[in-house]
Amino acid sequence: MLNKGLRDEKKVKMDTMLSTLLSLAFVPKFWNIEDTSLLDNQLTHFGLTTDILNQIEEKDLISLLDKQEMDWAQKEQFGDFLIAFSKDNSFDLSDKAIAIYEHIQSGSKTFSFEIFNKIASAKVNLK
């Protein structure tokens, strides 16, 4: 019973961090040092920074998310963050988001039209 409580606590903490990341990415920014430092503070919980996120390979990012024990919904939120962060930023992380979405589609063994549409949309919007 204790393990379930710890897992639930970790899930809530992870959900909170992802919500914060998404809220920071969806607010229009100029993406200066101050703005990216806010994101970096949240990304450090995942062992990332904006620079590392820009340089990391897709498969390594997915492995990192797996090590964080993210469930499929949390991985989807992280992909959503990458898409939102890419919109008005010099970094284009759409390819990493697509890799995460494709990983979800194949790994979850459940076809999702929502994920399918996110993949299609991200591919269309690649810079």
Side-chain angles (χ1 to χ4, degrees):
M1 193 55 114
L2 183 60
N3 279 341
K4 184 176 179 346
L6 290 175
R7 278 192 308 246
D8 289 346
E9 184 179 312
K10 186 172 182 175
K11 182 178 176 4
V12 168
K13 187 175 179 181
M14 186 80 61
D15 287 340
T16 303
M17 288 185 290
L18 287 167
S19 294
T20 303
L21 271 175
L22 281 167
S23 68
L24 289 172
F26 278 116
V27 175
K29 300 274 187 180
F30 297 108
W31 297 119
N32 58 28
I33 293 173
E34 182 180 325
D35 295 332
T36 54
S37 69
L38 291 172
L39 285 171
D40 283 342
N41 287 338
Q42 287 301 310
L43 287 170
T44 55
H45 298 290
F46 302 105
L48 294 167
T49 63
T50 50
D51 290 331
I52 293 171
L53 195 55
N54 190 39
Q55 296 171 6
I56 194 169
E57 295 291 323
E58 287 89 355
K59 62 180 174 59
D60 295 332
L61 178 59
I62 291 170
S63 294
L64 183 80
L65 299 180
D66 287 339
K67 286 179 188 171
Q68 295 290 325
E69 299 177 7
M70 286 187 174
D71 61 21
W72 301 118
Q74 291 169 333
K75 289 178 185 176
E76 182 180 354
Q77 281 185 309
F78 195 83
D80 294 346
F81 157 72
L82 294 177
I83 294 294
F85 184 59
S86 296
K87 286 197 182 196
D88 295 318
N89 192 350
S90 59
F91 302 127
D92 187 5
L93 306 173
S94 300
D95 52 344
K96 291 171 177 53
I98 292 168
I100 291 170
Y101 293 146
E102 289 174 343
H103 169 72
I104 293 167
Q105 280 289 52
S106 65
S108 69
K109 298 184 173 58
T110 304
F111 183 81
S112 167
F113 282 107
E114 184 178 0
I115 298 288
F116 178 80
N117 289 334
K118 287 181 181 185
I119 292 170
S121 176
K123 285 182 177 180
V124 167
N125 294 328
L126 273 175
K127 293 178 184 174

